[in-house]
Amino acid sequence: MVYKRTSGRALTEIRKMTAKVGVVPNADGSAMFAFGDTVAIAAVYGPRLLHPQHKQNPSTGILRVNYDLLSFSVYDRKKPGPSRRSQEISKVTEWALSPVLNLKEFPNTVVDVQIYIIQADAGTRTAGINAASMALAHAGIPMKNLVTSISVGKLDKDLIVDLDKSEEDFEGGEGPTDFPIAKIANTDEYTLMQLDGKIQPEVVKKVLKLADKACEEIYEVQKKALKEVVSQ
Amino acid sequence: MIMMRNKINEAHEAAEEVSDYSEDSNKKRKIVIPGEIIVKGEDYLPSEGARREGDNIVASRFGLAEEAGRVVKVISISGAFIPRRGNVVIGRVIDITFYGWLIDIDCASSGFLPVEESPRFIRKEEMSSFLAIGDVVAAKIWSVKPKGIDVILKGKGLGKLEGGFIFRVIPSRVPRVIGREGSMINLIKEKTGCNVTVGQNGWIWIKGPNTDSEIKARKAIEFIVDKVHVEGLTDKVEEWFNKN
Protein backbone atom coordinates (compact mmCIF):
# COMPACT_ATOMS: atom_id res chain seq x y z
CA MET A 1 0.00 0.00 0.00
CA VAL A 2 1.24 3.45 -0.92
CA TYR A 3 0.59 6.27 1.52
CA LYS A 4 0.21 9.89 0.56
CA ARG A 5 0.74 12.93 2.73
CA THR A 6 -2.60 14.24 3.97
CA SER A 7 -1.62 17.81 3.14
CA GLY A 8 -0.87 16.82 -0.46
CA ARG A 9 2.75 17.92 -0.12
CA ALA A 10 5.64 16.27 -1.92
CA LEU A 11 7.79 14.02 0.30
CA THR A 12 10.50 16.61 0.85
CA GLU A 13 8.31 19.70 0.78
CA ILE A 14 8.39 21.93 3.87
CA ARG A 15 5.19 23.66 4.98
CA LYS A 16 4.94 27.34 4.16
CA MET A 17 7.49 29.12 6.34
CA THR A 18 6.92 32.57 7.80
CA ALA A 19 9.52 34.46 9.78
CA LYS A 20 9.49 37.88 11.37
CA VAL A 21 12.00 39.62 13.57
CA GLY A 22 11.26 42.21 16.27
CA VAL A 23 7.79 41.01 17.26
CA VAL A 24 8.15 41.69 21.01
CA PRO A 25 8.85 45.40 21.52
CA ASN A 26 10.00 45.14 25.14
CA ALA A 27 12.49 42.31 24.58
CA ASP A 28 16.12 42.90 23.67
CA GLY A 29 15.64 40.61 20.68
CA SER A 30 12.66 38.68 19.39
CA ALA A 31 11.42 36.65 16.46
CA MET A 32 8.50 34.62 15.19
CA PHE A 33 8.91 31.50 13.10
CA ALA A 34 6.12 29.39 11.62
CA PHE A 35 5.95 26.06 9.78
CA GLY A 36 2.41 26.17 8.40
CA ASP A 37 0.12 25.99 11.45
CA THR A 38 2.95 25.67 13.97
CA VAL A 39 3.81 29.14 15.24
CA ALA A 40 6.62 29.87 17.71
CA ILE A 41 7.56 33.18 19.26
CA ALA A 42 10.94 33.67 20.90
CA ALA A 43 12.03 36.59 23.06
CA VAL A 44 15.57 37.20 24.29
CA TYR A 45 16.42 39.22 27.41
CA GLY A 46 19.91 40.11 28.46
CA PRO A 47 22.77 39.57 29.07
CA ARG A 48 21.46 40.37 32.55
CA LEU A 49 22.33 39.57 36.13
CA LEU A 50 21.78 35.90 36.97
CA HIS A 51 19.68 34.84 39.92
CA PRO A 52 19.97 32.49 41.81
CA GLN A 53 23.53 33.57 42.42
CA HIS A 54 24.98 30.06 42.80
CA LYS A 55 24.32 29.48 39.11
CA GLN A 56 26.58 32.36 38.11
CA ASN A 57 29.71 31.41 36.23
CA PRO A 58 32.62 33.86 36.61
CA SER A 59 34.26 32.66 33.38
CA THR A 60 31.30 33.02 31.03
CA GLY A 61 27.67 33.99 30.71
CA ILE A 62 25.10 31.22 30.49
CA LEU A 63 22.08 30.54 28.34
CA ARG A 64 18.71 29.77 29.91
CA VAL A 65 15.85 28.62 27.73
CA ASN A 66 12.23 28.29 28.69
CA TYR A 67 9.89 26.54 26.25
CA ASP A 68 6.17 26.75 26.84
CA LEU A 69 3.32 25.27 24.86
CA LEU A 70 0.50 27.70 25.60
CA SER A 71 -2.81 26.29 26.76
CA PHE A 72 -4.74 27.49 23.70
CA SER A 73 -2.22 26.21 21.15
CA VAL A 74 -3.74 22.73 20.83
CA TYR A 75 -7.26 21.37 20.23
CA ASP A 76 -7.75 20.03 23.75
CA ARG A 77 -6.79 22.77 26.17
CA LYS A 78 -3.39 22.02 27.67
CA LYS A 79 -3.02 22.50 31.39
CA PRO A 80 -0.88 25.62 31.70
CA GLY A 81 2.49 25.62 33.43
CA PRO A 82 5.71 23.62 33.17
CA SER A 83 5.55 19.91 32.52
CA ARG A 84 8.02 17.09 32.11
CA ARG A 85 7.79 17.54 28.34
CA SER A 86 8.34 21.30 28.37
CA GLN A 87 11.32 20.97 30.73
CA GLU A 88 12.91 18.43 28.43
CA ILE A 89 12.40 20.58 25.36
CA SER A 90 13.75 23.64 27.17
CA LYS A 91 16.90 21.70 28.00
CA VAL A 92 17.49 20.24 24.50
CA THR A 93 16.85 23.67 22.96
CA GLU A 94 19.45 25.13 25.30
CA TRP A 95 21.92 22.45 24.20
CA ALA A 96 21.03 23.00 20.55
CA LEU A 97 21.73 26.74 20.75
CA SER A 98 24.64 27.08 23.16
CA PRO A 99 27.38 25.74 20.80
CA VAL A 100 27.03 28.80 18.56
CA LEU A 101 26.99 31.39 21.33
CA ASN A 102 30.02 33.12 22.74
CA LEU A 103 29.14 34.64 26.11
CA LYS A 104 32.73 34.94 27.39
CA GLU A 105 32.44 38.72 27.37
CA PHE A 106 29.55 38.66 29.84
CA PRO A 107 30.67 36.74 32.96
CA ASN A 108 28.16 36.10 35.76
CA THR A 109 25.25 36.94 33.50
CA VAL A 110 22.44 35.05 31.85
CA VAL A 111 20.81 35.32 28.46
CA ASP A 112 17.18 34.37 28.86
CA VAL A 113 15.27 32.93 25.93
CA GLN A 114 11.53 32.52 26.24
CA ILE A 115 9.89 30.37 23.58
CA TYR A 116 6.13 30.38 23.37
CA ILE A 117 4.24 28.09 21.03
CA ILE A 118 1.05 29.94 20.22
CA GLN A 119 -0.21 27.38 17.74
CA ALA A 120 0.91 23.76 17.55
CA ASP A 121 0.73 21.35 14.63
CA ALA A 122 3.83 19.19 15.32
CA GLY A 123 7.42 20.34 14.98
CA THR A 124 7.14 22.84 17.81
CA ARG A 125 10.67 22.32 19.14
CA THR A 126 12.16 22.80 15.67
CA ALA A 127 10.13 25.96 15.07
CA GLY A 128 11.14 27.12 18.55
CA ILE A 129 14.84 26.61 17.84
CA ASN A 130 14.58 28.47 14.52
CA ALA A 131 12.80 31.38 16.20
CA ALA A 132 15.20 31.44 19.15
CA SER A 133 18.26 31.51 16.91
CA MET A 134 16.89 34.52 15.03
CA ALA A 135 15.93 36.25 18.28
CA LEU A 136 19.44 35.72 19.70
CA ALA A 137 20.95 37.26 16.58
CA HIS A 138 18.50 40.15 16.82
CA ALA A 139 19.56 40.74 20.44
CA GLY A 140 23.09 41.39 19.15
CA ILE A 141 24.59 38.48 21.06
CA PRO A 142 27.97 37.28 19.74
CA MET A 143 27.39 34.03 17.88
CA LYS A 144 29.22 31.88 15.35
CA ASN A 145 26.30 31.21 13.11
CA LEU A 146 22.55 30.70 13.04
CA VAL A 147 21.00 27.40 14.06
CA THR A 148 18.44 25.80 11.78
CA SER A 149 16.18 22.95 12.72
CA ILE A 150 13.81 20.55 10.97
CA SER A 151 12.10 17.27 11.71
CA VAL A 152 12.27 14.31 9.36
CA GLY A 153 9.97 11.34 9.66
CA LYS A 154 8.66 8.27 7.94
CA LEU A 155 5.46 7.50 6.09
CA ASP A 156 5.76 3.72 6.06
CA LYS A 157 9.02 3.27 4.11
CA ASP A 158 9.23 6.76 2.63
CA LEU A 159 11.19 9.52 4.31
CA ILE A 160 9.26 12.76 4.68
CA VAL A 161 10.40 16.21 5.71
CA ASP A 162 8.61 18.50 8.19
CA LEU A 163 5.92 16.36 9.76
CA ASP A 164 2.56 17.77 10.66
CA LYS A 165 0.36 16.43 13.46
CA SER A 166 -1.37 13.75 11.35
CA GLU A 167 1.97 12.43 10.10
CA GLU A 168 3.46 12.44 13.56
CA ASP A 169 0.60 10.21 14.73
CA PHE A 170 0.72 8.02 11.60
CA GLU A 171 -0.11 4.45 12.62
CA GLY A 172 0.05 2.49 9.34
CA GLY A 173 2.99 0.63 7.82
CA GLU A 174 6.17 0.80 9.89
CA GLY A 175 4.57 3.08 12.46
CA PRO A 176 5.22 6.69 13.48
CA THR A 177 8.75 8.07 13.34
CA ASP A 178 9.81 11.59 14.28
CA PHE A 179 13.45 12.59 13.95
CA PRO A 180 14.02 16.25 14.93
CA ILE A 181 17.42 17.62 13.93
CA ALA A 182 19.14 20.96 14.53
CA LYS A 183 22.37 22.00 12.88
CA ILE A 184 24.67 24.96 12.68
CA ALA A 185 23.87 26.64 9.37
CA ASN A 186 26.31 26.03 6.48
CA THR A 187 28.32 23.47 8.43
CA ASP A 188 28.12 19.73 9.14
CA GLU A 189 27.77 20.22 12.86
CA TYR A 190 24.58 18.90 14.40
CA THR A 191 23.44 20.23 17.75
CA LEU A 192 20.21 18.31 18.24
CA MET A 193 19.22 14.82 17.22
CA GLN A 194 16.30 13.05 18.80
CA LEU A 195 14.38 10.02 17.67
CA ASP A 196 10.85 9.06 18.49
CA GLY A 197 9.85 5.77 16.85
CA LYS A 198 11.82 3.32 14.79
CA ILE A 199 14.28 3.78 11.96
CA GLN A 200 16.77 1.50 10.19
CA PRO A 201 20.39 2.48 10.96
CA GLU A 202 21.28 2.61 7.25
CA VAL A 203 18.50 5.16 6.63
CA VAL A 204 19.89 7.70 9.11
CA LYS A 205 22.41 8.99 6.57
CA LYS A 206 19.58 9.68 4.14
CA VAL A 207 17.69 11.49 6.90
CA LEU A 208 20.66 13.78 7.49
CA LYS A 209 20.94 14.51 3.79
CA LEU A 210 17.26 15.50 3.63
CA ALA A 211 17.66 17.62 6.76
CA ASP A 212 20.67 19.39 5.25
CA LYS A 213 18.67 20.39 2.21
CA ALA A 214 15.70 21.55 4.27
CA CYS A 215 17.96 23.53 6.59
CA GLU A 216 19.38 25.46 3.66
CA GLU A 217 15.85 26.59 2.78
CA ILE A 218 15.12 27.53 6.39
CA TYR A 219 18.38 29.48 6.59
CA GLU A 220 17.36 31.61 3.62
CA VAL A 221 14.04 32.43 5.32
CA GLN A 222 15.79 33.38 8.56
CA LYS A 223 18.36 35.48 6.73
CA LYS A 224 15.70 37.36 4.80
CA ALA A 225 13.70 38.11 7.95
CA LEU A 226 16.75 39.39 9.82
CA LYS A 227 17.78 41.67 6.98
CA GLU A 228 14.25 43.03 6.62
CA VAL A 229 13.99 44.24 10.20
CA VAL A 230 16.42 47.08 9.50
CA SER A 231 14.62 48.48 6.49
CA GLN A 232 11.25 48.65 8.25
CA MET B 1 35.53 54.41 19.08
CA ILE B 2 37.92 56.99 20.41
CA MET B 3 36.88 57.30 24.00
CA MET B 4 39.37 59.90 25.07
CA ARG B 5 38.38 62.64 22.71
CA ASN B 6 38.79 65.95 24.51
CA LYS B 7 36.00 67.81 22.88
CA ILE B 8 33.03 67.10 25.09
CA ASN B 9 29.97 68.76 23.69
CA GLU B 10 26.69 69.25 25.48
CA ALA B 11 25.33 66.00 24.14
CA HIS B 12 28.23 64.27 25.89
CA GLU B 13 30.61 61.80 24.44
CA ALA B 14 27.65 59.63 23.70
CA ALA B 15 27.60 61.51 20.43
CA GLU B 16 30.58 59.53 19.20
CA GLU B 17 28.43 56.51 18.69
CA VAL B 18 26.47 58.54 16.24
CA SER B 19 29.02 58.39 13.49
CA ASP B 20 27.99 54.73 13.20
CA TYR B 21 24.79 55.84 11.56
CA SER B 22 26.05 58.73 9.47
CA GLU B 23 26.78 58.43 5.79
CA ASP B 24 30.46 58.41 5.02
CA SER B 25 31.54 58.09 1.43
CA ASN B 26 34.76 56.16 1.96
CA LYS B 27 33.18 53.54 4.17
CA LYS B 28 31.11 50.65 2.84
CA ARG B 29 28.24 49.35 4.94
CA LYS B 30 25.84 46.45 4.77
CA ILE B 31 23.63 44.44 7.10
CA VAL B 32 25.11 41.07 8.03
CA ILE B 33 23.89 38.13 10.05
CA PRO B 34 26.07 35.88 12.23
CA GLY B 35 28.12 33.48 10.12
CA GLU B 36 27.78 35.51 6.94
CA ILE B 37 30.91 36.18 4.90
CA ILE B 38 31.57 39.93 4.84
CA VAL B 39 34.60 40.03 2.54
CA LYS B 40 36.85 37.50 0.91
CA GLY B 41 40.57 37.77 0.72
CA GLU B 42 43.74 37.92 2.74
CA ASP B 43 43.95 41.72 2.69
CA TYR B 44 41.44 42.36 5.46
CA LEU B 45 41.71 42.41 9.24
CA PRO B 46 38.80 41.38 11.44
CA SER B 47 37.93 43.79 14.25
CA GLU B 48 35.07 43.91 16.75
CA GLY B 49 32.22 41.56 15.86
CA ALA B 50 34.08 39.84 13.05
CA ARG B 51 36.48 36.91 12.77
CA ARG B 52 38.68 35.22 10.21
CA GLU B 53 37.74 31.81 8.86
CA GLY B 54 40.25 30.62 6.28
CA ASP B 55 40.27 33.21 3.53
CA ASN B 56 37.11 34.96 4.63
CA ILE B 57 36.13 37.58 7.16
CA VAL B 58 32.95 36.36 8.82
CA ALA B 59 30.44 38.24 10.99
CA SER B 60 30.16 37.14 14.61
CA ARG B 61 27.03 39.09 15.31
CA PHE B 62 24.05 40.74 13.68
CA GLY B 63 24.56 44.35 12.68
CA LEU B 64 26.08 46.78 10.21
CA ALA B 65 29.34 45.60 8.68
CA GLU B 66 31.75 48.41 8.03
CA GLU B 67 34.96 48.34 6.04
CA ALA B 68 37.31 51.14 7.01
CA GLY B 69 40.35 50.57 4.84
CA ARG B 70 41.54 47.06 5.64
CA VAL B 71 39.75 46.79 8.96
CA VAL B 72 36.33 45.16 9.02
CA LYS B 73 33.98 45.44 11.98
CA VAL B 74 30.34 44.79 12.77
CA ILE B 75 28.42 47.47 14.66
CA SER B 76 25.51 46.27 16.76
CA ILE B 77 22.20 47.89 15.86
CA SER B 78 19.91 46.14 18.33
CA GLY B 79 19.92 44.43 21.67
CA ALA B 80 20.65 45.27 25.28
CA PHE B 81 22.99 48.00 26.49
CA ILE B 82 26.57 46.73 26.75
CA PRO B 83 28.59 49.07 28.99
CA ARG B 84 31.84 50.44 27.62
CA ARG B 85 34.47 52.77 28.97
CA GLY B 86 33.53 56.38 28.30
CA ASN B 87 29.77 55.84 28.03
CA VAL B 88 27.59 58.39 29.79
CA VAL B 89 24.80 56.65 31.69
CA ILE B 90 21.95 57.69 33.92
CA GLY B 91 21.48 55.59 37.03
CA ARG B 92 19.93 55.50 40.46
CA VAL B 93 21.74 55.13 43.77
CA ILE B 94 20.72 51.77 45.25
CA ASP B 95 23.17 51.38 48.14
CA ILE B 96 25.77 53.26 50.15
CA THR B 97 28.79 51.28 51.24
CA PHE B 98 31.86 52.24 53.28
CA TYR B 99 33.82 53.03 50.11
CA GLY B 100 31.26 54.61 47.86
CA TRP B 101 27.88 54.37 46.22
CA LEU B 102 26.33 51.51 44.27
CA ILE B 103 24.46 52.73 41.23
CA ASP B 104 21.93 50.79 39.22
CA ILE B 105 22.71 51.60 35.60
CA ASP B 106 20.18 49.22 34.08
CA CYS B 107 22.57 46.55 32.87
CA ALA B 108 23.92 43.22 34.07
CA SER B 109 26.11 44.59 36.85
CA SER B 110 25.70 47.76 38.88
CA GLY B 111 28.13 50.67 38.77
CA PHE B 112 30.36 51.62 41.68
CA LEU B 113 31.03 55.28 42.42
CA PRO B 114 33.97 55.67 44.82
CA VAL B 115 33.84 58.27 47.64
CA GLU B 116 36.80 60.08 46.10
CA GLU B 117 34.45 61.26 43.36
CA SER B 118 32.78 63.59 45.81
CA PRO B 119 33.91 67.15 45.02
CA ARG B 120 34.71 67.93 48.68
CA PHE B 121 35.87 65.81 51.60
CA ILE B 122 32.95 64.10 53.28
CA ARG B 123 32.82 61.98 56.38
CA LYS B 124 31.39 58.48 56.14
CA GLU B 125 28.30 59.47 58.12
CA GLU B 126 27.57 62.28 55.68
CA MET B 127 27.68 60.23 52.51
CA SER B 128 23.92 60.28 52.14
CA SER B 129 23.87 64.07 52.23
CA PHE B 130 25.84 64.09 48.96
CA LEU B 131 24.00 61.19 47.31
CA ALA B 132 21.19 59.40 49.08
CA ILE B 133 19.54 56.14 48.09
CA GLY B 134 17.10 56.85 45.29
CA ASP B 135 18.97 59.85 43.90
CA VAL B 136 19.49 59.91 40.16
CA VAL B 137 22.93 60.67 38.71
CA ALA B 138 24.47 61.11 35.30
CA ALA B 139 27.83 59.36 35.40
CA LYS B 140 30.55 58.26 33.03
CA ILE B 141 31.84 54.71 32.90
CA TRP B 142 35.49 54.69 33.88
CA SER B 143 36.23 50.98 33.64
CA VAL B 144 34.45 47.74 32.87
CA LYS B 145 36.03 44.74 34.61
CA PRO B 146 34.71 41.26 35.35
CA LYS B 147 34.34 42.23 39.01
CA GLY B 148 32.25 45.27 38.22
CA ILE B 149 31.86 48.65 36.62
CA ASP B 150 33.42 51.81 38.02
CA VAL B 151 31.80 55.15 37.27
CA ILE B 152 32.97 58.71 37.77
CA LEU B 153 31.26 62.09 38.00
CA LYS B 154 34.04 64.28 36.58
CA GLY B 155 32.95 65.86 33.33
CA LYS B 156 30.55 68.38 31.95
CA GLY B 157 26.90 67.67 32.60
CA LEU B 158 27.64 64.84 35.02
CA GLY B 159 26.53 64.67 38.64
CA LYS B 160 23.35 64.47 40.61
CA LEU B 161 20.24 65.23 38.57
CA GLU B 162 17.80 67.46 40.38
CA GLY B 163 14.32 68.32 39.17
CA GLY B 164 12.91 67.35 35.80
CA PHE B 165 12.12 63.72 35.07
CA ILE B 166 13.71 60.61 33.57
CA PHE B 167 12.28 58.07 31.15
CA ARG B 168 13.61 55.15 29.15
CA VAL B 169 13.97 54.48 25.44
CA ILE B 170 15.39 51.38 23.72
CA PRO B 171 19.18 51.62 24.24
CA SER B 172 20.01 50.63 20.66
CA ARG B 173 18.16 53.73 19.43
CA VAL B 174 20.11 56.20 21.57
CA PRO B 175 22.55 57.12 18.75
CA ARG B 176 19.58 58.28 16.67
CA VAL B 177 18.22 60.41 19.52
CA ILE B 178 21.58 62.17 19.75
CA GLY B 179 22.08 62.52 16.01
CA ARG B 180 25.29 63.11 14.13
CA GLU B 181 27.64 65.20 16.28
CA GLY B 182 24.71 65.80 18.60
CA SER B 183 22.63 67.51 15.88
CA MET B 184 19.32 65.95 16.90
CA ILE B 185 19.63 66.57 20.60
CA ASN B 186 20.77 70.14 20.01
CA LEU B 187 17.71 70.70 17.83
CA ILE B 188 15.45 69.50 20.63
CA LYS B 189 17.21 71.68 23.19
CA GLU B 190 16.98 74.68 20.93
CA LYS B 191 13.28 74.22 20.10
CA THR B 192 12.08 73.47 23.63
CA GLY B 193 14.59 75.30 25.79
CA CYS B 194 15.01 72.18 27.89
CA ASN B 195 18.13 70.70 29.35
CA VAL B 196 18.41 67.12 28.07
CA THR B 197 20.92 64.46 29.11
CA VAL B 198 20.89 61.20 27.18
CA GLY B 199 22.47 58.15 28.76
CA GLN B 200 23.79 55.36 26.57
CA ASN B 201 21.79 52.92 28.71
CA GLY B 202 18.58 54.38 27.28
CA TRP B 203 17.63 56.62 30.19
CA ILE B 204 16.99 60.23 29.34
CA TRP B 205 16.71 63.16 31.74
CA ILE B 206 14.75 66.27 30.81
CA LYS B 207 14.50 69.49 32.73
CA GLY B 208 12.97 72.59 31.28
CA PRO B 209 11.61 75.98 32.28
CA ASN B 210 8.06 74.61 32.45
CA THR B 211 6.20 71.33 32.28
CA ASP B 212 4.81 71.95 28.81
CA SER B 213 8.23 72.27 27.23
CA GLU B 214 9.43 69.19 29.09
CA ILE B 215 6.55 67.16 27.73
CA LYS B 216 7.18 68.51 24.26
CA ALA B 217 10.82 67.44 24.44
CA ARG B 218 9.80 63.97 25.56
CA LYS B 219 7.26 63.67 22.77
CA ALA B 220 9.89 64.73 20.24
CA ILE B 221 12.26 62.04 21.51
CA GLU B 222 9.53 59.40 21.37
CA PHE B 223 8.81 60.51 17.80
CA ILE B 224 12.46 59.96 16.89
CA VAL B 225 12.59 56.55 18.58
CA ASP B 226 9.53 55.46 16.60
CA LYS B 227 11.04 56.47 13.28
CA VAL B 228 14.44 55.03 13.82
CA HIS B 229 15.07 53.77 10.30
CA VAL B 230 13.85 56.83 8.45
CA GLU B 231 16.47 58.77 6.53
CA GLY B 232 16.91 62.53 6.90
CA LEU B 233 15.30 62.38 10.31
CA THR B 234 16.60 65.75 11.49
CA ASP B 235 14.51 67.48 8.83
CA LYS B 236 11.46 65.42 9.76
CA VAL B 237 11.85 66.39 13.39
CA GLU B 238 12.11 70.05 12.44
CA GLU B 239 8.90 69.64 10.49
CA TRP B 240 7.32 67.96 13.52
CA PHE B 241 8.29 70.92 15.70
CA ASN B 242 6.72 73.33 13.23
CA LYS B 243 3.46 71.37 13.34
CA ASN B 244 3.29 71.03 17.11
Side-chain angles (χ1 to χ4, degrees):
Chain A
M1 184 179 171
V2 180
Y3 295 95
K4 270 193 180 156
R5 302 186 81 167
T6 43
S7 53
R9 279 184 284 159
L11 293 178
T12 58
E13 193 180 339
I14 308 176
R15 284 173 283 177
K16 188 179 181 291
M17 289 183 279
T18 333
K20 206 177 168 204
V21 171
V23 290
V24 184
N26 283 339
D28 294 316
S30 61
M32 181 276 279
F33 190 92
F35 282 126
D37 287 339
T38 300
V39 184
I41 285 177
V44 173
Y45 298 88
R48 63 182 177 185
L49 195 61
L50 174 54
H51 282 291
Q53 242 178 14
H54 70 266
K55 284 194 177 148
Q56 287 186 357
N57 184 344
S59 63
T60 179
I62 66 164
L63 176 71
R64 189 163 59 181
V65 176
N66 181 33
Y67 163 100
D68 199 1
L69 188 82
L70 298 180
S71 53
F72 51 80
S73 64
V74 278
Y75 285 106
D76 290 318
R77 178 187 141 93
K78 182 204 162 268
K79 191 172 167 258
S83 61
R84 188 210 55 82
R85 178 178 174 276
S86 76
Q87 280 182 44
E88 178 201 308
I89 297 179
S90 302
K91 207 67 207 175
V92 296
T93 306
E94 206 173 286
W95 291 336
L97 294 169
S98 54
V100 296
L101 296 182
N102 177 13
L103 299 172
K104 288 255 151 45
E105 287 171 49
F106 316 112
N108 293 326
T109 64
V110 64
V111 172
D112 271 310
V113 180
Q114 306 284 352
I115 300 170
Y116 291 116
I117 308 298
I118 55 170
Q119 208 168 269
D121 185 25
T124 57
R125 75 193 68 193
T126 54
I129 290 170
N130 289 333
S133 128
M134 285 156 67
L136 283 164
H138 184 228
I141 289 164
M143 57 203 285
K144 262 203 313 209
N145 216 323
L146 292 181
V147 177
T148 52
S149 180
I150 187 78
S151 69
V152 179
K154 265 175 25 185
L155 203 62
D156 194 18
K157 290 188 167 52
D158 292 325
L159 287 176
I160 50 171
V161 174
D162 188 28
L163 311 180
D164 60 30
K165 188 71 185 144
S166 65
E167 291 161 341
E168 201 180 55
D169 300 336
F170 173 74
E171 285 299 342
E174 293 185 0
T177 305
D178 183 11
F179 201 140
I181 288 165
K183 64 176 290 202
I184 302 175
N186 304 324
T187 65
D188 291 326
E189 292 169 53
Y190 297 87
T191 57
L192 169 81
M193 234 182 240
Q194 286 183 297
L195 173 60
D196 190 6
K198 288 178 192 158
I199 200 160
Q200 294 81 358
E202 59 277 13
V203 183
V204 173
K205 269 194 179 165
K206 277 191 206 159
V207 169
L208 293 185
K209 216 168 252 167
L210 286 177
D212 284 354
K213 235 188 116 237
C215 284
E216 276 170 33
E217 278 179 57
I218 297 165
Y219 180 71
E220 289 308 315
V221 173
Q222 289 178 315
K223 188 173 170 179
K224 195 167 158 256
L226 276 167
K227 296 210 170 184
E228 262 170 11
V229 70
V230 182
S231 53
Q232 270 168 14
Chain B
M1 227 66 60
I2 316 118
M3 289 307 176
M4 297 318 291
R5 196 190 284 177
N6 291 326
K7 192 186 76 191
I8 307 171
N9 61 14
E10 272 282 271
H12 304 313
E13 283 174 272
E16 284 168 42
E17 299 263 334
V18 180
S19 51
D20 298 349
Y21 272 101
S22 56
E23 307 287 318
D24 199 338
S25 52
N26 50 20
K27 283 177 181 173
K28 277 186 272 173
R29 287 192 171 82
K30 62 176 177 186
I31 302 291
V32 290
I33 61 169
E36 189 178 345
I37 296 165
I38 307 172
V39 281
K40 292 185 178 187
E42 296 275 331
D43 310 339
Y44 294 96
L45 288 170
S47 174
E48 224 181 303
R51 65 180 191 277
R52 173 169 286 284
E53 251 179 34
D55 269 359
N56 306 324
I57 302 290
V58 177
S60 286
R61 67 174 174 221
F62 173 66
L64 269 179
E66 182 185 285
E67 289 171 40
R70 295 175 58 210
V71 181
V72 180
K73 68 174 177 180
V74 179
I75 303 151
S76 217
I77 48 169
S78 54
F81 166 63
I82 306 294
R84 281 171 204 284
R85 186 189 154 99
N87 283 164
V88 170
V89 292
I90 290 175
R92 196 183 284 275
V93 178
I94 47 169
D95 197 8
I96 301 173
T97 71
F98 200 73
Y99 304 101
W101 294 266
L102 268 182
I103 294 166
D104 175 15
I105 54 170
D106 205 9
C107 68
S109 54
S110 50
F112 178 74
L113 179 71
V115 224
E116 295 83 56
E117 282 302 311
S118 159
R120 61 188 166 83
F121 176 80
I122 48 171
R123 283 182 294 147
K124 301 293 175 199
E125 310 87 85
E126 297 177 331
M127 278 172 73
S128 61
S129 66
F130 178 57
L131 281 176
I133 290 176
D135 282 352
V136 175
V137 289
K140 195 202 276 183
I141 293 176
W142 180 248
S143 69
V144 182
K145 292 190 184 120
K147 71 171 208 335
I149 298 166
D150 282 339
V151 297
I152 55 167
L153 289 184
K154 293 190 180 99
K156 194 174 176 190
L158 304 184
K160 184 176 169 182
L161 302 176
E162 282 170 288
F165 62 87
I166 56 168
F167 67 104
R168 188 179 182 269
V169 300
I170 299 169
S172 56
R173 309 231 164 132
V174 163
R176 261 286 157 111
V177 174
I178 294 164
R180 198 193 306 186
E181 311 275 307
S183 62
M184 192 72 84
I185 203 73
N186 286 334
L187 177 74
I188 294 168
K189 284 176 182 170
E190 194 185 299
K191 293 276 182 186
T192 62
C194 289
N195 199 354
V196 185
T197 299
V198 183
Q200 288 290 324
N201 56 351
W203 285 93
I204 297 174
W205 175 71
I206 296 176
K207 189 188 181 180
N210 53 56
T211 320
D212 283 348
S213 60
E214 284 174 352
I215 289 171
K216 197 170 180 188
R218 178 177 179 162
K219 281 194 174 149
I221 290 169
E222 276 163 357
F223 175 81
I224 296 162
V225 172
D226 262 0
K227 309 242 175 328
V228 76
H229 299 304
V230 179
E231 279 187 28
L233 195 56
T234 317
D235 299 336
K236 291 243 168 62
V237 175
E238 231 168 335
E239 219 172 88
W240 183 89
F241 271 115
N242 292 336
K243 266 188 244 162
N244 288 276

